Amino acid sequence: MSFIHYDILFIRDFLLSIIQIILVTISTATGCFSSDTLVTLINLQQIPIEKLRIGDELLTIDGTKIVSTEMIMMLDQNQHSSVMFYTIITASEHKVSLTSHHLIGMINNDGDISYIPIKDIKHGDILRVITNGQIYSSPVIDIKMEIKNGYYAPLTMTGTLLVNNIDASCFSNVKNHDIVQFYMSPIRWYYRLSRLLFIEKPFGDKSVDGIHYIAQMLYEIALSIYPSILHFT
């Protein structure tokens, strides 16, 4: 009985850890990318982030290659709220605005990519950008804070996307992009299975302001099973 008891506790704690990470990712997605952000479709057309729809195929960066990814859902959106953004400009004249804890890809000293909060970006930090269909490294030359109206938080299969041709994560308010991407696997599996079954919008078509219903659902699950999981630091 004791082994069964410990196995049940292990499974419970593992599932709760998944719920917690997904909850943190979704429920703190508020803000993210400013409404004037452009994303790039696989046909190279750039569209406003607010025009993204489930199933849209986008461009992102994987290692040293430009690859495609797919829009799964809009985690959060608000067309009218005024939000404080960090706006960064690179030497290549790329520019993007994100909320303070949203992760952006930076090339570290050993050449690897680290996704860190934009508030921690400093002058001279190197970002990955796209120019004329090629990946380049470009240093940050200006950082400023400004208030803009509207924000959007899309989630893609890869957990990344190009915003104004700059490499960025879909996640915010988390310490490790890769760990969160791993724990989001169940959502990706469900999405992929649904698409194979010709379900066009597995998570519904979110067209109104506010956090996606999945965030609310996960909140209710955590609240009933383990309320203390909702006390984030």
Side-chain angles (χ1 to χ4, degrees), residues 80-227:
H80 307 295
S81 289
S82 296
V83 177
M84 181 67 72
F85 290 91
Y86 279 72
T87 298
I88 57 174
I89 302 173
T90 67
S92 56
E93 299 185 352
H94 289 75
K95 176 181 178 181
V96 71
S97 298
L98 292 78
T99 48
S100 61
H101 287 82
H102 198 92
L103 306 184
I104 190 165
M106 182 193 75
I107 302 176
N108 55 35
N109 292 334
D110 58 10
D112 293 332
I113 302 301
S114 297
Y115 288 95
I116 67 172
I118 193 170
K119 70 180 183 64
D120 294 335
I121 291 290
K122 304 181 296 296
H123 287 78
D125 283 345
I126 308 297
L127 307 184
R128 294 193 296 183
V129 302
I130 302 294
T131 300
N132 296 325
Q134 300 294 321
I135 303 173
Y136 293 94
S137 303
S138 186
V140 174
I141 61 171
D142 192 19
I143 304 170
K144 58 184 177 181
M145 298 177 67
E146 54 186 343
I147 295 175
K148 295 185 177 185
N149 291 326
Y151 57 79
Y152 294 84
L155 176 65
T156 67
M157 289 292 288
T158 57
T160 60
L161 71 167
L162 291 175
V163 286
N164 295 345
N165 280 327
I166 297 176
D167 173 38
S169 169
C170 293
F171 307 128
S172 63
N173 295 71
V174 293
K175 294 181 179 179
N176 190 302
H177 166 90
D178 293 330
I179 290 177
V180 175
Q181 176 67 359
F182 172 77
Y183 279 108
M184 293 291 279
S185 296
I187 287 181
R188 296 195 299 276
W189 296 337
Y190 174 74
Y191 175 81
R192 186 58 70 200
L193 176 61
S194 298
R195 299 289 282 182
L196 289 174
L197 296 175
F198 303 103
I199 300 173
E200 293 186 1
K201 299 172 182 177
F203 304 107
D205 186 10
K206 189 178 188 312
S207 57
V208 297
D209 286 350
I211 298 175
H212 197 284
Y213 76 88
I214 284 182
Q216 185 62 38
M217 177 185 69
L218 291 173
Y219 174 84
E220 296 296 338
I221 292 173
L223 190 63
S224 62
I225 297 176
Y226 195 4

